[in-house]
Amino acid sequence: MLTLGGGCVVQLWNKHQKAKVTLLRIFKDLLQEVQARGEPAEGEHSIAAHLMRTRDEKGQPIPDVRIWSELSIFFFAGVETTGHTMAWVLHLISQHPEVEAKVLAELEELQLLASPQRPSPRPIEYTDLNRLTYLSCCIKESMRLYPVVPMIFRKAMRKLRVGNFTIPKGTFFIVHIMATHTSERYWERAADFLPERWLDPNCEYARPVTPKSRYVPTGPADLFAADKPVNGKCHAQKPVNGHACAPNGISPHEPHMDVEHKASVASLLSTFKFELADEMGGAEGVQKAQTYNITLAPEKGLMMHCIPRVSSANS
């Protein structure tokens, strides 16, 4: 979904640009501090040391502006987004006991769940991640409902044609990711938290839309049969029209973030049960507290009680 032109877009773009300038100033100061230390020692393996040693194809040090960009990626892009995503996942699972029960069953099957008989479950290994199928569905569904990057700002560098819209060169516009993620046009029961829909490997892709049907339902299993006819056509169609779900704007860092999300959430849920604190005002209060600066987050944080599973099991 696109929002084109208008004073609102310009204001948001200006806010985004000011935030970016402030961020670059911070990392410029950090770079100067690093450069003042001189050449990194041979055994130093910090991010700054690796960037200082990096050379381009001509053997020259990479420009300062490139180092600023890389520092912002390492210190910002992969921290706040991951933290907010984990918070939203834990919140949604805590609000749906039937979903939590399935996640715990999956962890128990892999001997990753704390219990009176196994108070210290074994550490999660990399090979476990691909076996956490249902937890992965929960994370994807959370990122659909609460994309930490709900809007992407762009400037057309040339004249573009997007769907029925012609975008003149130089136009500022917003790609409204959250609007697409929660649209009944693309998602059956779009407002509901339904991890099972992600058992369909093509779930994230936009479906063909016909005049007689606002959407082709997404999701298999007992919720939406994979061979369910829709207007005389089978649900299992070849995806078209690109992604209907892009919580990070189709980021090249998504595989790395996927590992972080699954490993971190699985570790937390294996040891703790999470319950929303009364101060949040329930799920409705969390919904009202949403705020968007660079990422989507509760305005004053997401307060939850962390209850050890072993002690709660013994009580």
Side-chain angles (χ1 to χ4, degrees):
M1 184 173 293
L2 296 174
T3 304
L4 304 177
C8 179
V9 175
V10 174
Q11 289 175 12
L12 286 170
W13 175 265
N14 290 339
K15 181 179 179 181
H16 172 75
Q17 291 298 98
K18 288 179 181 178
K20 186 171 74 172
V21 170
T22 300
L23 185 64
L24 286 176
R25 188 180 299 118
I26 292 172
F27 287 113
K28 181 179 179 181
D29 292 342
L30 178 60
L31 175 61
Q32 290 177 343
E33 180 183 329
V34 169
Q35 290 174 330
R37 302 174 192 166
E39 287 295 316
E42 184 176 346
E44 185 180 349
H45 300 295
S46 66
I47 293 172
H50 285 302
L51 290 173
M52 293 292 289
R53 295 191 191 102
T54 302
R55 297 293 183 268
D56 63 18
E57 63 276 6
K58 297 181 180 179
Q60 298 299 313
I62 58 176
D64 286 357
V65 67
R66 176 67 186 275
I67 297 181
W68 300 344
S69 175
E70 295 297 330
L71 284 172
S72 68
I73 290 172
F74 281 114
F75 285 95
F76 180 75
V79 176
E80 186 174 0
T81 51
T82 299
H84 291 334
T85 296
M86 288 168 53
W88 291 126
V89 173
L90 293 171
H91 163 62
L92 285 169
I93 291 177
S94 74
Q95 296 297 300
H96 296 82
E98 73 287 355
V99 170
E100 183 179 20
K102 292 181 181 180
V103 173
L104 298 185
E106 191 170 66
L107 292 172
E108 173 62 28
E109 185 177 353
L110 296 175
Q111 299 183 332
L112 296 174
L113 184 65
S115 66
Q117 296 74 29
R118 189 173 52 245
S120 298
R122 69 175 180 81
I124 293 176
E125 299 177 1
Y126 184 77
T127 53
D128 293 322
L129 300 182
N130 285 335
R131 301 165 70 185
L132 294 170
T133 304
Y134 190 71
L135 177 61
S136 179
C137 290
C138 293
I139 293 171
K140 290 177 180 179
E141 181 70 344
S142 172
M143 294 174 75
R144 180 185 71 83
L145 290 170
Y146 293 103
V148 290
V149 183
M151 290 182 278
I152 298 177
F153 300 85
R154 291 292 183 265
K155 179 181 180 180
M157 304 308 292
R158 63 181 185 278
K159 183 179 179 180
L160 300 173
R161 182 75 177 174
V162 180
N164 296 325
F165 298 97
T166 297
I167 306 175
K169 179 181 178 181
T171 301
F172 296 104
F173 62 96
I174 298 174
V175 181
H176 204 310
I177 291 175
M178 177 170 270
T180 302
H181 282 197
T182 55
S183 172
E184 293 288 341
R185 179 183 178 93
Y186 300 115
W187 307 92
E188 185 167 341
R189 296 170 62 185
D192 294 340
F193 180 62
L194 300 173
E196 284 79 3
R197 74 171 87 236
W198 290 94
L199 295 172
D200 177 355
N202 293 324
C203 181
E204 67 182 290
Y205 295 100
R207 307 293 179 172
V209 178
T210 66
K212 295 182 180 180
S213 176
R214 295 180 63 199
Y215 55 75
V216 175
T218 54
D222 55 344
L223 289 170
F224 316 110
D227 58 351
K228 177 181 176 181
V230 178
N231 291 332
K233 296 183 179 180
C234 178
H235 161 66
Q237 303 180 50
K238 182 179 179 181
V240 298
N241 299 334
H243 293 260
C245 189
N248 296 297
I250 315 297
S251 167
H253 304 287
E254 280 188 15
H256 173 66
M257 290 188 289
D258 184 53
V259 170
E260 284 187 306
H261 295 156
K262 281 197 281 190
S264 300
V265 174
S267 296
L268 289 168
L269 288 175
S270 69
T271 308
F272 297 100
K273 176 179 177 60
F274 289 83
E275 293 183 357
L276 192 63
D278 292 341
E279 302 94 291
M280 296 302 300
E284 184 178 347
V286 174
Q287 201 73 9
K288 292 179 179 178
Q290 290 182 49
T291 183
Y292 171 64
N293 290 310
I294 295 178
T295 55
L296 179 71
E299 185 176 10
K300 297 181 181 179
L302 186 58
M303 292 177 282
M304 303 187 76
H305 298 291
C306 304
I307 305 170
R309 293 200 177 276
V310 172
S311 61
S312 62
N314 289 332
S315 60

